[in-house]
Amino acid sequence: MSIDEALRAPDRPAVRTVSRLRTRLGTVLPGVALVVLWSSGFVGAELGARYAEPLTLLSWRFVVGSLILLGVCAIVRPRFDRHEIGRQAVIGLLAVAVYLSACYIAVRHGVSGGTTSLIAALQPLLVAVAAGPFLGERTRPRQRIGLAIGLIGVGVVVSGGLSIGRAPTWAYLLVVVGVIALSGGTLLSRRWRTGSLLVSLATQTCTAAVTVTAASALTGQLRPPATTDFWFAVAWIALLSGLGGYGAFLLVIRRQGAVAVGTWLYLSPPTTMLWTWIMFGDRIGVLGFLGVLVTAAGVILAIIRTPAAGRDGRPG
């Protein structure tokens, strides 16, 4: 038997090893991209908050992102279906417009970043609870243990910056509303798996652009400041977290399921901590490093040995 024939044989150990490695990489690489790019949005928010109100920053982020995506659509010419556009608009309203607006406004009114991160860390648990009856995605004991460990790790990471502060009660409730909206959008995105990734991303971003820009105009916050720093922040969040992070979010939902995408997001607070250390020189304490290790252990336990979800929404 030749070498080529040996490699093509399905029962050969080398073929099985390559196949397993390819499967692992297909799970890990999109997840890592999601974590890094999604976390960049918190850095961009901190950059932009120095120069503009939350709705101003979000409005122009979505406008820039929409123009880029519509330009790509004009070149690629994907097929747009009226029924699909309606569904993707609902997801965009929940998972993009409501979630980000709620979090940005809450932080602007005094909710600390650590508190916001800790409340947002409840999202994977909400999705895991609802994924069974809503999607048929049952969590295994290993996944449930990993989710619990990940939540503990997130708590350790943000514990140093966790404070009640002087924010009004409604600001904390606003973060909860945003997390619920993101969870609902995550579940619907997994259930309504239609069309191309480009169509989904373009429709959802354009929906967010229309709604948030309208809200910004009605509240007198649409006019952007005439500073290059503001536009740098807009470009940062539009390209890295908007197109890159949310695109990876949709990709992981489609390939790995709703529970998996929420589990990956456990690594967002620790990764944001590393981002701010690199860009702003924020110190990382012992608890921060410990939290990163605990969170990573939980994610590895829940993700790495979990088979990718099948097309029927069940692990396969």
Side-chain angles (χ1 to χ4, degrees), residues 103-292:
C103 291
Y104 276 47
I105 293 173
V107 171
R108 177 67 176 84
H109 284 84
V111 181
S112 69
T115 304
T116 304
S117 298
L118 188 58
I119 297 174
L122 298 175
Q123 190 263 355
L125 298 180
L126 292 177
V127 171
V129 170
F134 193 72
L135 299 174
E137 291 185 14
R138 291 185 174 86
T139 56
R140 299 181 177 184
R142 179 185 293 271
Q143 286 179 288
R144 292 192 288 270
I145 295 172
L147 285 170
I149 293 175
L151 181 61
I152 293 172
V154 172
V156 173
V157 169
V158 303
S159 60
L162 187 60
S163 61
I164 299 300
R166 298 180 180 179
T169 302
W170 63 262
Y172 295 96
L173 295 177
L174 200 58
V175 181
V176 175
V177 170
V179 171
I180 294 174
L182 177 61
S183 301
T186 301
L187 294 168
L188 289 175
S189 183
R190 179 62 176 174
R191 185 161 185 168
W192 292 339
R193 290 173 294 172
T194 57
S196 69
L197 185 63
L198 176 59
V199 170
S200 299
L201 187 58
T203 305
Q204 293 180 34
T205 303
C206 289
T207 300
V210 172
T211 54
V212 177
T213 299
S216 183
L218 289 174
T219 55
Q221 301 180 48
L222 184 58
R223 185 174 181 177
T227 63
T228 55
D229 291 328
F230 169 79
W231 290 110
F232 175 78
V234 168
W236 177 285
I237 58 177
L239 296 176
L240 291 182
S241 63
L243 302 184
Y246 196 67
F249 179 83
L250 295 176
L251 179 64
V252 174
I253 286 179
R254 294 185 179 205
R255 289 189 176 182
Q256 301 180 31
V259 176
V261 76
T263 307
W264 278 112
L265 291 182
Y266 268 153
L267 288 172
S268 182
T271 307
T272 302
M273 179 184 65
L274 296 176
W275 270 108
T276 56
W277 172 59
I278 293 172
M279 295 195 62
F280 307 126
D282 293 351
R283 294 183 61 184
I284 303 175
V286 175
L287 283 179
F289 282 112
L290 179 62
V292 170

